Amino acid sequence: MPAISIQPDDRVFVLTGAGISAESGLPTFRASDGLWAGHRVEEICTSEALEENPSLVWEFYSKRRADCARAKPNAAHKALAELEAQIGDRFFLCTQNVDDLHERAGSERLVHMHGELAKSRCSQDCGAAPIEDRSVYASLSEVGHCVCGARLRPHIVFFGEMPLEMRRIQQEMSRSTQMFVIGTSGSVYPAANFVHWARQAGAKTIYIGPERPLNAEAFDTIVEGNAGEVLPGLFAVEST
Ligand code: APR
Ligand code: ZN
């Protein structure tokens, strides 16, 4: 793959999904059977599940916190942090991932549209801000409570809930000239629509991953390969 030139007037919007963390050892959602403890992920990550079976929901996210703490950023996370270091404010990263591997690789201009594993918040939405919480709970009785008394829930956007930071995302997307989408199956909305919105705004759109995503036809270019192998050396930043 020849390098992709980033010109001085380009603005880069990056959307990442579970695939970018696969080479760090974190499983994707829709790989192989996609089951966890006999449940479909779609059955665990819902507000109904949180109400009916909070132990199961917390067990799932505690396990993911522990996995995330052991994982390390890979070459793909680092390549994006390096691109940001070169182009600064002309870079924006939107991740669907709840892990913190982008931050740990050095990314700064990023939003987590589906929430963050490292935070918890009020399960009753009393208005209190999310708090830092990397605890791995062995049982529900260990889970802390909000100032209002309600039990904490993971700061995760469940199926059926509104993604976070959509205004900022739309704004960044509308002024981008190049969009890179990395390691996402194109099956969860609204993220799967971003490629259409960026195209409408006039951006060139590129997908990077080992298989074609569901929304493959919307991209100008598809680079088939693992993110950690494709991204290093992919961007050629032009200074004049
Ligand atoms: N490099 C790049 N992409 C990869 C790699 C890799 N090494 N390995 C796998 N992939 C790709 C797969 O081909 C697949 O297209 O990553 C994608 C993972 O897809 P999903 O498991 O569906 O994950 P994602 O698209 O991030 O899911 C979106 O669904 O469950 C919700 O909220 C959750 O944010 C998540 C959302
Ligand atoms: Zn509260």
Side-chain angles (χ1 to χ4, degrees):
M1 172 79 203
I4 295 172
S5 163
I6 311 289
Q7 297 292 324
D9 55 355
D10 272 327
R11 299 192 69 96
V12 174
F13 184 106
V14 181
L15 171 68
T16 63
I20 198 167
S21 297
E23 288 157 87
S24 295
L26 299 179
T28 62
F29 292 94
R30 288 165 190 83
S32 55
D33 59 2
L35 290 181
W36 187 80
H39 299 265
R40 291 195 358 249
V41 169
E42 286 84 350
E43 291 168 0
I44 299 168
C45 311
T46 66
S47 46
E48 290 80 18
L50 185 70
E51 215 155 276
E52 285 159 24
N53 200 345
S55 297
L56 180 71
V57 173
W58 263 117
E59 199 187 328
F60 178 72
Y61 285 103
S62 286
K63 163 92 171 57
R64 293 189 63 199
R65 281 180 177 176
D67 290 346
C68 176
R70 275 192 299 269
K72 290 194 178 63
N74 66 50
H77 299 105
K78 289 177 192 159
L80 291 178
E82 219 164 277
L83 175 61
E84 180 180 358
Q86 288 178 278
I87 67 173
D89 283 338
R90 295 187 288 122
F91 177 93
F92 184 76
L93 171 59
C94 172
T95 185
Q96 296 169 85
N97 298 343
V98 296
D99 67 56
D100 59 357
L101 296 180
H102 283 303
E103 289 91 324
R104 280 157 57 194
S107 290
E108 290 173 4
R109 296 163 179 89
L110 87 163
V111 297
H112 285 271
M113 67 178 291
H114 291 164
E116 294 173 67
L117 267 181
K119 293 182 181 171
S120 296
R121 69 163 193 264
C122 179
S123 57
Q124 295 301 321
D125 284 327
C126 73
I131 57 165
E132 289 264 326
D133 181 12
R134 292 168 195 269
S135 314
V136 174
Y137 298 112
S139 77
L140 190 62
S141 60
E142 292 179 7
V143 176
H145 291 82
C146 176
V147 285
C148 77
R151 191 189 294 121
L152 292 174
R153 62 168 273 180
H155 182 47
I156 301 286
V157 176
F158 291 149
F159 285 95
E161 295 180 332
M162 279 288 282
L164 308 172
E165 307 264 17
M166 281 306 293
R167 271 173 76 109
R168 180 152 176 228
I169 292 168
Q170 300 255 18
Q171 196 180 25
E172 292 290 347
M173 204 156 20
S174 68
R175 58 183 189 167
S176 66
T177 59
Q178 302 222 35
M179 168 180 267
F180 296 92
V181 177
I182 305 159
T184 173
S185 57
S187 53
V188 172
Y189 288 84
N193 264 334
F194 288 4
V195 60
H196 298 284
W197 298 343
R199 266 187 99 131
Q200 263 165 25
K204 276 192 279 177
T205 56
I206 296 149
Y207 179 81
I208 298 146
E211 2 171 80
R212 291 169 67 82
L214 289 179
N215 53 0
E217 80 297 336
F219 288 91
D220 296 316
T221 308
I222 301 229
V223 184
E224 281 188 40
N226 289 330
E229 288 157 23
V230 174
L231 259 56
L234 182 67
F235 310 108
V237 177
E238 314 289 343
S239 51
T240 50

